[in-house]
Amino acid sequence: MSEAAVCRAASMPGVQRPKGSRRVTTMASNGSRSKVSREPRRQLNNRPAWITVDGGATDSDCAVVDVSPGGAKIVTEVEFDVKDRLALTLLADHSKRHACEVVWRRGKTYGLKFIVAEAPVEADAEPVSAA
């Protein structure tokens, strides 16, 4: 029996492979690969930043490893759990705080997702019609 026949037979239900044979899996490719698009990242090399929790009651230091339009990676001594929310200030002389949610944690390193505030929808607003 040829090796190809053995492989086909081994993949059929109820058929056992001959002793000493190995299962070989091959993957066909047409040569074209799609590139996974990722957000651009800015390496900040542990730049100092500040975390605010409890609605501004507690400020703590952290270091920003990198930041992208969707979030940031930080290192801090403060312990957070996944799904915790906090505010991140990237510049000392800037009062803008980015609302964040912790999405992953590895030791003292955290992945944060920036939370985009949605505009409130008025209950009495009339639907816009195409005229």
Side-chain angles (χ1 to χ4, degrees):
M1 186 181 269
S2 73
E3 188 175 332
V6 169
C7 288
R8 280 193 303 274
S11 66
M12 297 169 62
V15 176
Q16 293 183 354
R17 291 184 294 184
K19 189 174 185 174
S21 68
R22 296 185 320 178
R23 176 179 228 144
V24 177
T25 304
T26 59
M27 186 169 65
S29 173
N30 63 2
S32 65
R33 296 181 119 190
S34 61
K35 187 173 181 177
V36 176
S37 176
R38 298 193 79 170
E39 293 180 331
R41 293 203 171 271
R42 186 171 69 201
Q43 299 290 329
L44 297 179
N45 299 325
N46 295 323
R47 175 192 246 174
W50 299 266
I51 303 168
T52 305
V53 292
D54 303 327
T58 308
D59 285 336
S60 301
D61 295 337
C62 71
V64 177
V65 177
D66 68 23
V67 68
S68 70
K73 179 165 59 170
I74 64 167
V75 177
T76 183
E77 295 295 323
V78 180
E79 290 195 19
F80 296 106
D81 291 321
V82 173
K83 297 287 185 190
D84 283 352
R85 295 200 172 200
L86 53 100
L88 179 66
T89 303
L90 296 172
L91 301 171
D93 58 348
H94 200 276
S95 63
K96 180 171 180 172
R97 293 181 175 161
H98 301 276
C100 302
E101 180 179 329
V102 178
V103 292
W104 59 263
R105 173 185 177 186
R106 289 185 195 103
K108 296 179 181 182
T109 304
Y110 297 86
L112 306 178
K113 173 179 76 172
F114 293 137
I115 301 169
V116 179
E118 296 180 12
V121 178
E122 294 183 25
D124 297 335
E126 303 225 0
V128 177
S129 61

